[in-house]
Amino acid sequence: MTRPTLASRIALVTTAVATVAVLIAGLVSYGLVRDAADAEAQRALGRQADVIAGTQLAPRPGVGKLPARVGVLLLRQGISVARVNPQGKVSGEVGPLARQVVAGADTSGELPRSFRTRVGGETVLVETRSLDTGGAIVLAQPRSQATGLAGQVLRRTALALLAGLAVAALAGVLLARRLARPLQRAARAAHDLASGRRDVRLVAAGPAEVAEVAESLNRLAGALQYSESRQREFLLSVSHELRTPLTAVKGFAESLADGVTTGADVPQVGATMLAEAARLERLVADLLDLARLGAQDFRIDLADVDLRALVADAATVWSARCRSEGVVFTVDLSPVPVCVVTDPTRVRQIVDGLAENALRVTPAGRPIALGVRADAGEGVVEVRDGGPGLTDDDLAVAFDRSVLYERYRGVRRVGTGVGLALVHALSMRLGGRATAGRAAEGGACFAVRIPLGTDPSQGGQVSGR
């Protein structure tokens, strides 16, 4: 089924509105012109009746005592004149119409000065005037002849209204095409975007609403282009990260299979393969978690959590890890419990991710600190390090996926490129937020802020079960 176009609908609506307006204007004009013509015809007939009555002439059959020229002029106008004696009888006439009017009227009393009657199915205008010598004079004129000029006015008015209707319909068609043209271009641009083109751009033209559609499509095209570029970069970086440990695992596995590695070298090769496999597992787990964060079935188990106790447990593990790497570890706990409603497993995942990131960039002898505190209605868990730190540009994109990874790959030790992005996404799903800044220890400070004592599913971004 073919849908009607916007242009056809606009043209149809404008034409319908113009038609209704013309019909209403025509009906109103017809009534006004007809009434005005009737009133003017009645007044004109009354003036002629005053003139004839003032001459005190008594018409009789034929032209009578009226001047012949006057009688002819009256007959040309369709005006009939009759004199009625005091007994109500016609004693003289010019034309038979006035006699017929008198015959059909009640002459027992005085006739009205102005009235209308019907003779032979036609409306007749009538004017009567009393004569000083007795009796009265009656003038009658068919309405059709009296208002002949009104017909011309009505015809010209009708022609003007029809011309206006034609102009309105044409203007509606042109307006419809003008409005629909940028929308058609926008539709074609949307189809091009759907087919894979990303260089589509539109000129914002037309009314504000239509121009806004073009600007929105331009922003969408730019966002898609940027997003797909980021995706390609991410896939390239992930493939590089996967290839490195896979190459190591494959090489050592081949050496074991070919018998190249034997004896005392086997445990060392096995340890290397295990470490590379763990690196692969961590990367795959981060990618899966990051992908699942946007799904509705991502599991969030809410519970009352004391962040101070959670960080204290994490400090036990990371103290040993830091000591084995020669890094100075400290913990800065709140003097009172910091209670929130959240998922303790996910918070611990965030803390471990930030601590792993800090340990990777912190050289031996420099500090790493875990801290927890309450601040402005939020529970704050932070990880500070004494590593190389981040610039202002780095802080602005710290949680963008793979940006810091690409920026510092080959310059210093980097992770998988998705760790900080995962921290940011997890924080949002827990109803909190992640922040990046500089630490007093000289390096970077990453913090997660969660509202105190609230259920993040009540107005946050958590979909828990």
Side-chain angles (χ1 to χ4, degrees):
M1 179 178 178
T2 303
R3 294 183 179 180
T5 63
L6 177 63
S8 64
R9 287 185 176 182
I10 293 176
L12 181 62
V13 169
T14 54
T15 302
V17 171
T19 301
V20 171
V22 165
L23 288 176
I24 293 174
L27 291 174
V28 173
S29 300
Y30 174 78
L32 292 175
V33 171
R34 183 190 61 184
D35 293 343
D38 287 349
E40 180 58 31
Q42 193 81 46
R43 286 193 296 269
L45 187 62
R47 288 192 295 268
Q48 296 198 54
D50 292 336
V51 171
I52 294 175
T55 65
Q56 296 293 308
L57 299 175
R60 58 180 190 269
V63 175
K65 291 186 178 181
L66 282 175
R69 187 170 54 183
V70 174
V72 171
L73 289 175
L74 291 175
L75 289 175
R76 285 180 179 178
Q77 298 177 56
I79 299 174
S80 174
V81 184
R83 179 169 181 171
V84 182
N85 60 28
Q87 290 74 35
K89 301 298 183 179
V90 175
S91 59
E93 66 181 46
V94 175
L97 184 59
R99 175 184 288 275
Q100 294 175 8
V101 170
V102 173
D106 182 7
T107 58
S108 59
E110 185 176 353
L111 292 173
R113 283 177 60 86
S114 299
F115 65 95
R116 298 179 188 181
T117 187
R118 294 188 68 81
V119 176
E122 184 178 11
T123 301
V124 177
L125 307 181
V126 182
E127 290 286 333
T128 67
R129 296 293 186 272
S130 299
L131 298 175
D132 294 338
T133 58
I137 190 169
V138 177
L139 274 73
Q141 184 181 25
R143 178 185 176 189
S144 58
Q145 288 186 274
T147 59
L149 182 61
Q152 298 180 10
V153 173
L154 288 174
R155 285 192 293 273
R156 291 178 180 180
T157 302
L159 290 175
L161 290 175
L162 290 175
L165 175 61
V167 172
L170 179 60
V173 172
L174 295 177
L175 174 64
R177 291 181 177 178
R178 181 177 179 83
L179 290 176
R181 192 175 296 116
L183 290 178
Q184 291 170 345
R185 289 197 294 265
R188 288 194 295 270
H191 287 307
D192 291 340
L193 285 175
S195 64
R197 285 187 57 189
R198 296 295 178 260
D199 59 343
V200 178
R201 295 296 183 273
L202 293 173
V203 177
E209 295 81 357
V210 178
E212 186 176 357
V213 172
E215 292 171 355
S216 298
L217 277 173
N218 290 340
R219 288 193 294 269
L220 175 61
L224 287 173
Q225 190 173 25
Y226 176 75
S227 176
E228 291 180 358
S229 175
R230 291 288 309 280
Q231 288 180 4
R232 285 192 295 270
E233 293 173 0
F234 175 70
L235 290 174
L236 289 173
S237 64
V238 168
S239 64
H240 175 79
E241 283 296 305
L242 289 173
R243 187 179 296 110
T244 301
L246 281 175
T247 301
V249 170
K250 180 180 179 181
F252 283 114
E254 288 176 348
S255 68
L256 289 174
D258 295 340
V260 176
T261 302
T262 58
D265 294 333
V266 172
Q268 182 180 359
V269 170
T272 302
M273 293 176 65
L274 183 61
E276 294 299 321
R279 181 181 173 188
L280 278 173
E281 183 180 21
R282 185 176 72 251
L283 176 59
V284 172
D286 286 350
L287 291 173
L288 288 175
D289 281 342
L290 193 61
R292 289 180 55 208
L293 272 171
Q296 293 296 320
D297 61 350
F298 185 76
R299 189 178 183 86
I300 296 290
D301 295 316
L302 300 178
D304 293 325
V305 179
D306 180 5
L307 293 179
R308 184 179 67 166
L310 186 147
V311 171
D313 292 339
T316 303
V317 175
W318 287 101
S319 175
R321 288 280 305 274
C322 289
R323 189 164 49 250
S324 65
E325 297 285 341
V327 173
V328 178
F329 180 82
T330 60
V331 61
D332 182 14
L333 299 178
S334 169
V336 296
V338 179
C339 297
V340 298
V341 178
T342 188
D343 186 333
T345 302
R346 299 300 179 183
V347 176
R348 179 60 187 270
Q349 183 180 356
I350 291 173
V351 172
D352 290 343
L354 292 176
E356 180 75 33
N357 184 70
L359 185 59
R360 184 183 305 111
V361 298
T362 303
R366 299 292 296 166
I368 287 180
L370 291 185
V372 60
R373 56 189 170 84
D375 179 40
E378 296 176 320
V380 182
V381 177
E382 59 185 15
V383 178
R384 307 186 300 271
D385 64 65
L390 300 173
T391 66
D392 291 338
D393 291 340
D394 294 337
L395 293 177
V397 296
F399 297 106
D400 291 349
R401 189 175 57 193
S402 298
V403 174
L404 295 183
Y405 173 86
E406 292 294 336
R407 187 171 294 178
Y408 291 107
R409 185 173 60 178
V411 178
R412 62 194 189 205
R413 293 180 64 186
V414 293
T416 62
V418 297
L420 291 177
L422 180 59
V423 166
H424 173 70
L426 277 173
S427 301
M428 296 292 289
R429 287 300 298 266
L430 292 176
R433 56 194 176 97
T435 62
R438 294 186 176 86
E441 288 77 6
C445 173
F446 291 96
V448 175
R449 294 174 171 267
I450 302 174
L452 290 173
T454 60
D455 183 346
S457 65
Q458 305 299 319
Q461 300 187 33
V462 173
S463 176
R465 61 179 184 175

